[in-house]
Amino acid sequence: TKSAPPTATAGAEITYTLTVSNTGGLATGLTLTDTLSISATFIRAAGGIVPTARTLTWTTTTLPYQTLFTRTFVVTATAPITLYNRYYGVAAQGGYRVFAPLPIITRVE
């Protein structure tokens, strides 16, 4: 899942939270990715990672059954605009992939 506030003030920090829930067996080689909105300015991300070509990538070697893998990142927008964060997903060894069905939308006022 992914969450962010539906509205924000121009210049304020906007925190996105991504959570992977493992409801199956042991997941290995997990990769969580998120591509930043073109209108957002990157501030920081969990684990100190930085975007490459506007994409954030977190990895973990294992995610046990019934556990969560949660990461956050912070952006800002300096002018009124609507941010559409469309491209995020998770993949694991064995060909498992899940990508976002809908964008996360934040209206910056």
Side-chain angles (χ1 to χ4, degrees), residues 1-4 16-19 34-35 73 85-88 104:
T1 61
K2 183 174 180 177
S3 63
Y16 289 85
T17 302
L18 296 101
T19 302
D34 189 289
T35 301
F73 66 93
N85 190 281
R86 290 184 169 93
Y87 306 107
Y88 55 99
I104 300 298

Side-chain angles (χ1 to χ4, degrees), residues 36 40-46 48-51 54 56 73-76:
L36 301 172
T41 301
F42 175 77
I43 304 296
R44 65 182 170 278
I49 66 164
V50 294
R54 300 202 60 79
L56 298 166
F73 66 93
V74 178
V75 301
T76 190

Side-chain angles (χ1 to χ4, degrees), residues 1-87:
T1 61
K2 183 174 180 177
S3 63
T7 60
T9 303
E13 291 187 350
I14 302 165
T15 301
Y16 289 85
T17 302
L18 296 101
T19 302
V20 177
S21 174
N22 184 359
T23 58
L26 177 68
T28 59
L30 194 77
T31 301
L32 175 62
T33 59
D34 189 289
T35 301
L36 301 172
S37 170
I38 195 73
S39 302
T41 301
F42 175 77
I43 304 296
R44 65 182 170 278
I49 66 164
V50 294
T52 300
R54 300 202 60 79
T55 298
L56 298 166
T57 303
W58 295 271
T59 60
T60 187
T61 54
T62 61
L63 185 63
Y65 174 61
Q66 294 187 334
T67 59
L68 302 175
F69 182 64
T70 301
R71 294 296 179 260
T72 59
F73 66 93
V74 178
V75 301
T76 190
T78 57
I81 194 163
T82 300
L83 297 177
Y84 293 90
N85 190 281
R86 290 184 169 93
Y87 306 107

Side-chain angles (χ1 to χ4, degrees), residues 27-31 90-98:
T28 59
L30 194 77
T31 301
V90 63
Q93 282 183 336
Y96 300 103
R97 298 182 189 286
V98 178

